Amino acid sequence: MIVLGLSGALGHDAAAAILVDGEVVAAAEEASFLGEHHAPGRMPIEAARYCLTAAGVSAKAIDIVAFPFAHVPITSPARWHYARRHWRSPGHAVRALLDGNRAFRDVRERVLSAGESLGVNFARARLVPVEHHLAHASSAYHFSGFAAKTAILTIDRCGEFTTTLAAYGERGRIHKLAEWYAPDSLAGLFGAFTEYLGFTQNDGEPDVMAMAHHGDPERFDLSRLVRRSSGDFRIDTRYANAIGGRRYTGLEREVSFGTALVDWLGPPRAVDSPDEPYVHYAAALQALFEATCLDVVDAHLKPILDETGSLAVAGGGARNGELNRRLLARSDVRAMYVPSAAGDAGTALGAAGFVAAALGEPPGTLRHAYLGPAFTTRQCIEALEAYLHRPHWRPLRDVPGETARLLAAGHPVAWFQGRLEFGQTPLGARGILGCPSVPGIVKRLALHAPVDRWRDPVLSMLDRAAPQLIGEAAVAPFASTSVPLAAAGRRRIADEHIEKVHVHRVGADAHPRFVALLDALELATGDGVVLNEPYALGRGPLVNSPKDALDLFYGSSLDHLVMEDILVTKGDG
């Protein structure tokens, strides 16, 4: 059975994934092919074409097209909850009750049109909708490899109406335990504060989490934002997740925080605002977010965790490395899985996995994220020969060893190897690397990979290096956990301002050449560890093709690019 999963009909994060007889063959984001962050308004046409090519199948051979958005009947409590909570905005309430599936019809038509443009034969192929949060849940549970009953938590701004789901997986099936509906969204609350603190929602949440490290959560009491009771919660929409007349309108862009929030806490943070009091707001928000999520786990998932200790987490909220650290620190959590594409792009894979499991082909464990396009050394040479700048390049006999020597000498290196990662985190295929023991390397990397000053860096390390660098802290896969450096780790990182990092533990399932690079670095410096920033333009997608890699290289101040078996340098190198 061939199942194609498509996301993006909601207007962002278009992606495609293909499963053949339950095996994940390929997955990629449309943004990687367009070079456009989030690919707004686009469907995953190029990503799907790549997936079909990678699987070696024709679109006419597709059996099922799955997509992560489903019909919600009028009998569902979701529509009634939404209407009741939006009684101050009668238009929203009435539409939820009388036309609550308008978005579903629009999404279905967009997916159907995309499938037809790809050449899918819908006379034989089925179009199957999957509830948005079940697709998130599947993207974590069905690919985790957990054989025992697994607790599942999904936290996302909103699907059809659902914002948060507590469930469990057993024998390939997902069973709901509790769910919450808009406007009661914890991810939405965090997103509203992301806007209030001067960042962009759906991008700046990791900055807010990192900003919280610099504040005191006790300085301000933000508890009025969320009414918490026995594992349940309600967002006060005067302050966040606001609609209609409650929204703050003092900025040029539309935001989801309310005028009441500004009246209470003061004006939104601007680029040139002082750090205080905003760092303390961030810290208090992070503490409230964690506490509410942990309440949900205690009330609804603890019996399952007590039984097996397995936890799968997905959705935009799963990008919060501090929450993931708190979850992993629980005594009842023994193993945790967060997918590499935890946000909406990952629902393409989740929708396909959910359908495959329901039809008797449960997916196997997915322990790596290398699911995108790869390019041979010959293709890289062809791109170099056709490139306008006439690049200076030479072949490398020992790619890991020569790259390690460059890094140890203090040079940042752009790294382009093998299949592109699925997700936005560099995990060994597309990264800008730096040796963390080199003084000033963090500032030099920031020149090449511009990210906000608050964001925690990714530190890729060999499994055997982790105990000394981060102590005995447990981490989830795919650099999804923020962890404080141990004392020994702080001594080995030249930048004294780095206290926490997103930890990428590199084991046997990682890219073999990346493992070899870390082995070579260990020989050269004593530590098999590297700073790993996205090889991307700003916060856009990771580079995909050799031409993309060269365009970004020549648009930066980088001097070294290792592209498959080739070293590209500027000038005479």
Side-chain angles (χ1 to χ4, degrees), residues 141-142 169-174 354 357-358 362:
Y141 166 62
H142 281 127
E170 186 174 28
R171 296 173 184 168
R173 304 284 174 166
I174 297 174
F354 185 90

Side-chain angles (χ1 to χ4, degrees), residues 197-511:
L197 293 172
F199 304 103
T200 303
Q201 190 163 183
N202 295 331
D203 272 329
E205 286 84 352
D207 297 297
V208 174
M209 183 202 74
M211 188 183 193
H213 300 163
H214 302 270
D216 178 0
E218 302 298 325
R219 281 280 296 275
F220 295 98
D221 179 6
L222 300 185
S223 60
R224 71 171 74 173
L225 297 171
V226 186
R227 186 170 73 249
R228 298 158 54 196
S229 174
S230 302
D232 195 10
F233 63 86
R234 292 289 181 273
I235 306 298
D236 191 326
T237 56
R238 291 175 299 171
Y239 303 106
N241 304 346
I243 63 170
R246 287 186 162 186
R247 273 184 173 163
Y248 179 68
T249 57
L251 299 175
E252 293 182 359
R253 65 186 188 279
E254 186 176 87
V255 296
S256 59
F257 60 86
T259 300
L261 185 69
V262 177
D263 293 341
W264 173 31
L265 298 181
R269 174 179 170 265
V271 174
D272 56 352
S273 296
D275 291 348
E276 294 199 11
Y278 300 104
V279 290
H280 307 301
Y281 294 157
L285 171 72
Q286 178 68 32
L288 179 63
F289 176 74
E290 291 174 17
T292 309
C293 292
L294 291 170
D295 282 351
V296 169
V297 172
D298 281 334
H300 303 284
L301 299 178
K302 185 166 177 51
I304 297 159
L305 293 173
D306 285 340
E307 180 181 344
T308 69
S310 297
L311 176 63
V313 186
R319 297 169 62 203
N320 192 297
E322 281 292 321
L323 172 63
N324 293 339
R325 181 180 65 83
R326 291 286 303 278
L327 289 169
L328 269 166
R330 292 173 60 101
S331 60
D332 54 3
V333 174
R334 293 189 284 280
M336 181 168 144
Y337 186 90
V338 181
S340 64
D344 277 7
T347 59
L349 183 60
F354 185 90
V355 171
L359 295 177
E361 292 184 354
T365 307
L366 187 58
R367 299 198 183 280
H368 66 82
Y370 313 116
L371 299 171
F375 299 86
T376 64
T377 298
R378 181 67 251 170
Q379 288 174 308
C380 293
I381 292 173
E382 289 170 357
L384 286 161
E385 291 175 340
Y387 203 70
L388 192 62
H389 286 276
R390 294 187 177 277
H392 183 276
W393 60 274
R394 64 180 176 87
L396 296 176
R397 290 185 177 180
D398 177 11
V399 172
E402 294 194 54
T403 305
R405 285 191 285 276
L406 285 169
L407 291 169
H411 301 288
V413 176
W415 178 257
F416 182 99
Q417 299 288 326
R419 296 184 72 178
L420 173 67
E421 297 97 334
F422 184 45
Q424 297 181 358
T425 303
L427 298 168
R430 308 285 191 274
I432 299 177
L433 311 180
C435 179
S437 60
V438 172
I441 192 62
V442 174
K443 289 183 179 179
R444 292 187 65 188
L445 284 177
L447 295 174
H448 310 304
V451 294
D452 192 275
R453 64 190 173 102
W454 302 107
R455 191 166 295 204
D456 295 336
V458 172
L459 200 63
S460 295
M461 62 185 71
L462 293 168
D463 265 335
R464 60 179 175 268
Q468 290 183 325
L469 295 171
I470 60 171
E472 297 303 319
V475 298
F478 308 128
S480 52
T481 314
S482 179
V483 177
L485 288 167
R490 287 195 298 273
R491 286 194 298 271
R492 293 173 180 178
I493 306 297
D495 191 317
E496 62 185 17
H497 300 294
I498 295 180
E499 297 180 357
K500 289 189 175 182
V501 294
H502 281 277
V503 175
H504 172 212
R505 290 187 70 156
V506 179
D509 297 311
H511 191 296

Side-chain angles (χ1 to χ4, degrees), residues 165-178:
L165 173 68
Y168 71 92
E170 186 174 28
R171 296 173 184 168
R173 304 284 174 166
I174 297 174
H175 308 269
K176 295 181 180 180
L177 293 171

Side-chain angles (χ1 to χ4, degrees), residues 91-179:
H92 285 78
V94 170
R95 278 196 298 274
L97 294 178
L98 300 184
D99 196 15
N101 284 297
R102 179 175 57 180
F104 168 71
R105 292 192 297 274
D106 292 344
V107 165
R108 185 182 184 279
E109 286 305 310
R110 292 196 71 196
V111 175
L112 186 63
S113 176
E116 289 173 342
S117 70
L118 289 166
V120 175
N121 178 13
F122 283 110
R124 68 175 296 276
R126 284 198 293 146
L127 190 64
V128 180
V130 177
E131 286 183 39
H132 190 75
H133 273 258
L134 288 178
H136 275 306
S138 172
S139 75
Y141 166 62
H142 281 127
F143 301 93
S144 66
F146 296 154
K149 185 186 292 187
T150 300
I152 303 170
L153 177 66
T154 68
I155 309 163
D156 202 40
R157 185 179 180 187
C158 191
E160 299 84 0
F161 293 93
T162 300
T163 68
T164 311
L165 173 68
Y168 71 92
E170 186 174 28
R171 296 173 184 168
R173 304 284 174 166
I174 297 174
H175 308 269
K176 295 181 180 180
L177 293 171
E179 58 187 322

